[in-house]
Amino acid sequence: MTRAAASPRLAAHGVGHAYALRTVLAGIDFDLPAGRVAALVGPSGCGKTTLLHLVAGLLPLREGRIESDFATPACVFQQPRLLPWKSALHNIAFGLKAQGVARRERERRAHELGLRVGLAAEDLEKFPHQLSGGMQSRVALARALVMAPDLLLLDEPFSALDVGLKAELYALLAEHLAGRGMAVLMITHDLMEAVRLSDDVLVMAPDPGRIVARFELARPAASRDDAFVYHRTAELLQHAVVRESFGLPPLPAACTTPDGAAAGGLRVVARGGHPPPAHRGLQC
Amino acid sequence: MKAAARWLAGLPAYLWSGWGAAASLLLCLALWEWAAGLYGDLILPDPRAALATLAGLFADGSAWPELLVTARRALAGFALALAAGSVLGVAAGLSMTAAMMARPVVTVLIGTPPIAWLVLALLWFGAGDGTPVFTVFVAAFPVVFVGALQGARTVDGQLAELAAAYRVPLPMRLADVYLPHVLSYLFPAWITALGISWKVVVMAELLATSDGVGAALAVSRAHLDTAATLAWILAVVGLLLAVEYLLLEPVKREVERWRGAA
């Protein structure tokens, strides 16, 4: 209890997972303390979503350990996943209702947050099918944020939105994260999204899914401008380990940034190895 | 309270939309009138004669008791089918094995003609309420069962996952995540089943009982009283239309407001 009170954290040790005989995750280790934003990036099918489901407790953990001291985790999924028979307001209040918050109180909080994520008061009365895709994403985000979670799990929630909407929701999220001590684990295949929002970028590679590198971004998310994001993303893309993970052809030797050459805030902190031989045998 | 207010607000538009239905019904009456002119009174009396006979039946107080008896039997069988079909159908839908095993049984139930059940019911229950109620139950049950089974089988896995991620307690999971979806399948099935119940009960009464609309039809047939026959048919069909469009359809609209098709 005392440890949790001091500084809650999420830690994974040697987490692995297999669907039937196909190993999708092997030897995953990471540590996420309160107040930090970690992004898991990797190509499609590298087991990112499986890892998030394990963390959220939606899949039984078979291999390794996941320790979490966070009391109120909240998820935002790839699709908005709104209940079609409930108004936007009641969709936002869904998690609060599950917690047993009284009707009036949860509707007040849902209303307040709905307005803050940019929904109009009359939109809150509408059913999901009457809302645009961007509005639905806002509702889904509000549904998670209204619970004042201490751990936020994001599964590519913005991947289906256009750049303008994305930028708006990034700003919204960044504003919400600032000074709140909330830990965030987000999944994305968009490096720029990772660089814009996160403090740690964990690069994953497929077959089996494993973390092959960790980068730290020193500048706080609130003070990152577009130029910073473009530069760091380009820089990230020049790392051999990142290129290999996404299946990009290697750059000519002269162009690659040597590991550890910290050109203004992007630092390789760790490089994961290859999967242990035992898992190699299971690949098909 | 809010729902009642919305119902009242929507009532004029709903009734106004009834003009289309009224027009098509009146067209049928016109066709009937035309055919009556062609064939003569004994084969097909015209609508006015049938309506006059019906009014007479209501006036001398002989219509209501029969209609009430018939309604009681139809609703008893319907209620049994509704309860058993909904519960068992949802239960079967929750398990793949049960769903697969139930399929052929339901097909057999749907394929068996109600008249066959009626003959069996006569042997088992004799000439009382049991026979029509059982026949109605057997005819309506598979329809409700299939609706409930489909509803339970098609519950959105993503929403179930959402409920798990937000640690939704079971009662709320049932009420907020599963029930509205299952209801959207159950409601049409219930309405179909009500129509079936109403038809089958008259048939069962015709052969099995000495009271009710079916029995009255048997009497009018014996007297070659075509006008009375048509009057009873009008009464039965009119009652079904009233229940469906004044009670079930508005309820369905309210329950499925989120679809927003209208």
Side-chain angles (χ1 to χ4, degrees):
Chain A
M1 269 324 275
T2 47
R3 201 170 66 104
S7 167
R9 63 199 311 115
L10 172 75
H13 304 287
V15 171
H17 196 78
Y19 293 114
L21 285 177
R22 210 178 93 82
T23 306
V24 288
L25 288 176
I28 301 282
D29 291 287
F30 66 84
D31 189 52
L32 176 65
R36 258 187 114 72
V37 180
L40 284 164
V41 299
S44 300
C46 72
K48 301 182 300 265
T49 298
T50 304
L51 181 54
L52 198 80
H53 279 47
L54 286 170
V55 172
L58 296 176
L59 281 174
L61 185 65
R62 299 221 183 81
E63 201 185 316
R65 271 182 306 135
I66 293 178
E67 288 160 11
S68 171
D69 308 319
F70 294 109
T72 45
C75 271
V76 183
F77 295 95
Q78 219 161 336
Q79 308 82 7
R81 298 197 189 184
L82 304 178
L83 297 174
W85 41 81
K86 288 200 173 279
S87 67
L89 184 76
H90 290 120
N91 264 296
I92 296 175
F94 182 69
L96 294 176
K97 188 177 177 190
Q99 284 182 338
V101 177
R103 184 188 188 89
R104 185 157 299 174
E105 167 71 6
R106 67 172 185 256
E107 283 181 4
R108 189 186 60 75
R109 280 164 66 181
H111 190 85
E112 198 181 341
L113 201 73
L115 297 182
R116 279 196 47 204
V117 299
L119 293 161
E122 66 259 28
D123 291 336
L124 290 172
E125 298 302 320
K126 289 182 183 165
F127 288 104
H129 75 93
Q130 295 167 304
L131 299 171
S132 67
M135 299 269 196
Q136 293 186 8
S137 294
R138 283 167 204 261
V139 174
L141 188 62
R143 176 176 61 195
L145 293 178
V146 78
M147 298 174 69
D150 49 8
L151 171 64
L152 188 62
L153 303 171
L154 305 172
D155 183 2
E156 303 190 30
F158 313 128
S159 60
L161 303 178
D162 65 62
V163 277
L165 275 175
K166 264 190 201 181
E168 262 181 65
L169 289 179
Y170 290 158
L172 199 74
L173 196 58
E175 177 203 335
H176 235 270
L177 295 178
R180 212 164 283 241
M182 192 193 304
V184 180
L185 181 62
M186 65 181 294
I187 279 184
T188 177
H189 53 235
D190 181 348
L191 281 176
M192 210 181 283
E193 188 169 291
V195 169
R196 190 176 292 273
L197 291 172
S198 66
D199 304 313
D200 293 305
V201 179
L202 306 169
V203 181
M204 288 184 73
D207 295 318
R210 61 207 189 274
I211 294 174
V212 289
R214 185 162 79 86
F215 299 89
E216 256 181 26
L217 289 146
R219 193 190 288 195
S223 56
R224 290 174 201 164
D225 49 16
D226 283 355
F228 175 88
V229 173
Y230 296 145
H231 275 117
R232 293 301 162 266
T233 307
E235 203 181 304
L236 204 56
L237 265 173
Q238 285 178 3
H239 276 277
V241 60
V242 176
R243 296 190 72 82
E244 197 189 322
S245 156
F246 280 90
L248 293 167
L251 291 173
C255 302
T256 50
T257 317
D259 288 357
L266 189 64
R267 203 154 59 85
V268 187
V269 180
R271 287 196 67 158
H274 288 287
H279 294 291
R280 288 237 143 148
L282 280 174
Q283 285 180 57
C284 42
Chain B
M1 209 44 227
K2 235 172 150 183
R6 209 161 35 224
W7 183 77
L8 274 179
L11 199 58
Y14 178 63
L15 288 180
W16 186 254
S17 74
W19 281 117
S24 84
L25 286 178
L26 287 173
L27 203 65
C28 286
L29 277 185
L31 272 176
W32 175 1
E33 174 108 41
W34 173 75
L38 219 59
Y39 290 103
D41 257 3
L42 186 63
I43 305 290
L44 191 66
D46 68 11
R48 270 166 304 179
L51 284 171
T53 316
L54 182 61
L57 286 173
F58 277 113
D60 69 11
S62 59
W64 280 120
E66 309 288 3
L67 281 170
L68 283 179
V69 167
T70 301
R72 189 189 72 216
R73 290 172 181 150
L75 291 181
F78 173 64
L80 285 175
L82 195 139
S86 305
V87 171
L88 293 176
V90 168
L94 295 179
S95 137
M96 190 70 191
T97 321
M100 282 173 69
M101 286 181 64
R103 243 315 117 77
V105 178
V106 168
T107 311
V108 167
L109 282 180
I110 289 181
T112 312
I115 196 85
W117 288 113
L118 179 56
V119 172
L120 285 175
L122 270 171
L123 293 173
W124 294 337
F125 300 102
D129 269 13
T131 299
V133 169
F134 172 81
T135 315
V136 165
F137 170 77
V138 172
F141 170 80
V143 175
V144 179
F145 183 87
V146 169
L149 187 136
Q150 296 281 28
R153 282 231 65 75
T154 50
V155 162
D156 189 344
Q158 291 197 338
L159 293 183
E161 208 173 74
L162 170 82
Y166 280 82
R167 299 175 186 175
V168 177
L170 186 67
M172 179 181 156
R173 213 178 280 203
L174 290 177
D176 284 0
V177 181
Y178 297 122
L179 192 66
H181 173 85
V182 174
L183 265 185
S184 71
Y185 279 78
L186 269 180
F187 229 96
W190 288 350
I191 290 179
T192 311
L194 182 71
I196 292 176
S197 306
W198 206 232
K199 278 186 282 194
V200 169
V201 77
V202 175
M203 184 194 73
E205 283 177 343
L206 184 87
L207 294 175
T209 61
S210 55
D211 54 356
V213 174
L217 274 173
V219 171
S220 61
R221 186 193 69 97
H223 294 168
L224 290 180
D225 188 347
T226 322
T229 307
L230 287 170
W232 282 116
I233 293 173
L234 277 180
V236 169
V237 173
L239 221 54
L240 179 67
L241 281 178
V243 168
E244 180 161 341
Y245 284 101
L246 294 181
L247 184 68
L248 292 180
E249 191 65 22
V251 171
K252 183 177 161 212
R253 277 172 184 240
E254 180 57 34
V255 170
E256 300 199 345
R257 206 160 47 88
W258 53 273
R259 282 188 192 279

